[in-house]
Amino acid sequence: QFQLVESGGALVQPGGSLRLSCAASGFNLRFYVVAWLRQAPGKEREWVSCISIRGVGTDYADSVKGRFTVSRDDAKNTVDLQMNNLKPDDTGTYYCAARGGRNLPACSDEVTKEHYNYWGQGTQVTVSS
């Protein structure tokens, strides 16, 4: 069926790096904007990044600019999030979410699940010494 599956989360020390992957099955991710969001225990869900259809543009939260890079490989039906110089505040469950439509949606900082057509199950990232 239609699914998004995140992978790559791990325990990492501050200053370390991780690469998360979001893989789609059952539908073609090529026609979807893909966002990364995260949520730490007891905190509100936070928008992290997004990549536009065909990767023509990317956006990042101020808190991760210069450290995170989002990319997509439509041939593999995946979107990756490279995370460098990780900080304890980066700890949380990371989700990818895809939004498509005939209107060819652009990147946004929307955090509600209702905004997206598909939402992954999440992968845990813990940044701690």
Side-chain angles (χ1 to χ4, degrees), residues 10-92:
L11 171 65
V12 63
Q13 296 186 42
S17 297
L18 285 173
R19 189 175 185 90
L20 306 183
S21 183
C22 171
S25 62
F27 69 100
N28 194 337
L29 204 56
R30 173 182 285 104
F31 305 112
Y32 291 79
V33 168
V34 178
W36 285 95
L37 309 100
R38 67 189 182 189
Q39 188 165 23
K43 296 184 178 180
E44 296 292 327
R45 190 178 305 118
E46 179 184 13
W47 177 84
V48 175
S49 182
C50 71
I51 187 164
S52 63
I53 293 171
R54 303 191 70 178
V56 68
T58 58
D59 287 314
Y60 302 91
D62 287 341
S63 59
V64 306
K65 284 181 179 177
R67 300 189 297 119
F68 290 12
T69 303
V70 65
S71 61
R72 68 191 301 157
D73 188 338
D74 289 335
K76 296 181 178 179
N77 223 24
T78 60
V79 170
D80 287 1
L81 183 69
Q82 178 66 46
M83 307 186 296
N84 298 326
N85 192 24
L86 285 161
K87 304 175 180 180
D89 284 348
D90 294 319
T91 293

Side-chain angles (χ1 to χ4, degrees), residues 1-5 22-27 29 77 118-121:
Q1 200 53 49
F2 308 117
Q3 287 184 290
L4 288 177
V5 179
C22 171
S25 62
F27 69 100
L29 204 56
N77 223 24
Y118 304 104
W119 188 284
Q121 62 185 353

